[in-house]
Amino acid sequence: QTVVTQEPSFSVSPGGTVTLTCGLSSGSVSTSYYPSWYQQTPGQAPRTLIYNTNTRSSGVPDRFSGSILGNKAALTITGAQADDESDFYCVLYMGSGIWMFGGGTKLTVL
Amino acid sequence: QVQLVESGGGVVQPGRSLRVSCAASGFTFNNYPIHWVRQAPGKGLEWVALISYDGSNKYYADSVKGRFTISRDNSKNTLYLQMNSLRVEDTAVYYCARAEVHYFDYWGQGTLVTVSS
């Protein structure tokens, strides 16, 4: 069974840049999977950040950007801020109406 | 503004049934497919099901196929998830999320379902 992979945790310094990735246990992620990214803080609903690989959702600052890097989708945060500390999830469209989330990355800003 | 409000969560025994709802407002409900997504305590997000704008097409994660049924009543702007044969591992916050083309654009705040004896 295919699994969507994400780094379990990542750390970044304030003002720094971090790239989180979203891969497949077998195969490569391409734009055909329409990767999207969501941010979630504890006790809150997810917030949509990026869709269709690299389109920012309304109101999302341009510090957040999406791309394909090699065989994975990627979320890059430049100029990390303290309130970026949260969980980040990617989701891929697997076709035939089926979607699959990655396990999420817990980002620490310190 | 777009609002999605889940309700109907609670504590239920293993093997029993429960139906959760998602009331939508602020947009033309019957123009959009809608997802259910769940999150077990301390765990990540898991896609559960998707229903097309008119209810004619339904899709399920393998973990719930045959036990859960997604449906909608467009006259009431409401989405449902009927959950049968519940298991302890179905314990989660259940979110509804509006489906834009190939992503989830608006999310509700979720309703907690606890399966426990």
Side-chain angles (χ1 to χ4, degrees):
Chain A
Q1 166 135 359
T2 300
V3 174
V4 178
T5 61
Q6 293 185 248
E7 299 86 359
S9 62
F10 230 118
S11 183
V12 62
S13 300
T17 296
V18 62
T19 296
L20 313 181
T21 68
C22 175
L24 286 170
S25 56
S26 59
S28 299
V29 176
S30 67
T31 56
S32 300
Y33 285 89
Y34 302 96
S36 53
W37 293 88
Y38 304 85
Q39 178 185 32
Q40 188 183 38
T41 52
Q44 298 297 312
R47 168 199 180 197
T48 306
L49 291 177
I50 300 285
Y51 60 93
N52 290 348
T53 305
N54 56 15
T55 303
R56 271 186 299 278
S57 187
S58 176
V60 174
D62 59 7
R63 304 186 294 104
F64 294 90
S65 62
S67 64
I68 298 290
L69 286 181
N71 62 351
K72 296 182 180 182
L75 173 70
T76 299
I77 307 171
T78 57
Q81 300 178 359
D83 62 2
D84 294 335
E85 188 162 293
S86 51
D87 296 325
F88 292 87
Y89 294 93
C90 70
V91 63
L92 303 179
Y93 179 56
M94 309 305 288
S96 302
I98 303 301
W99 298 77
M100 198 171 291
F101 280 89
T105 297
K106 184 177 184 61
L107 180 68
T108 300
V109 180
L110 51 72
Chain B
Q1 72 279 22
V2 173
Q3 278 201 313
L4 297 166
V5 180
E6 301 91 341
S7 63
V11 181
V12 60
Q13 293 179 327
R16 304 298 289 265
S17 299
L18 190 69
R19 188 179 80 165
V20 293
S21 303
C22 169
S25 60
F27 66 101
T28 304
F29 183 69
N30 59 12
N31 281 355
Y32 289 87
I34 308 286
H35 297 272
W36 283 105
V37 176
R38 69 184 180 183
Q39 186 170 35
K43 303 295 185 183
L45 299 171
E46 179 187 13
W47 177 78
V48 172
L50 167 66
I51 188 167
S52 60
Y53 70 97
D54 62 353
S56 61
N57 293 293
K58 304 174 185 182
Y59 308 91
Y60 299 94
D62 287 345
S63 58
V64 306
K65 199 176 297 182
R67 299 187 300 121
F68 288 13
T69 301
I70 188 172
S71 63
R72 64 193 297 161
D73 186 338
N74 285 344
S75 69
K76 296 182 179 179
N77 288 353
T78 302
L79 172 77
Y80 303 102
L81 185 67
Q82 176 69 43
M83 302 181 287
N84 298 333
S85 303
L86 280 161
R87 305 168 179 168
V88 170
E89 55 265 34
D90 295 319
T91 294
V93 174
Y94 284 76
Y95 296 101
C96 57
R98 194 177 79 168
E100 253 296 357
V101 180
H102 295 125
Y103 72 106
F104 308 69
D105 66 346
Y106 287 94
W107 298 70
Q109 286 302 306
T111 187
L112 176 62
V113 173
T114 302
V115 184
S116 173
S117 54

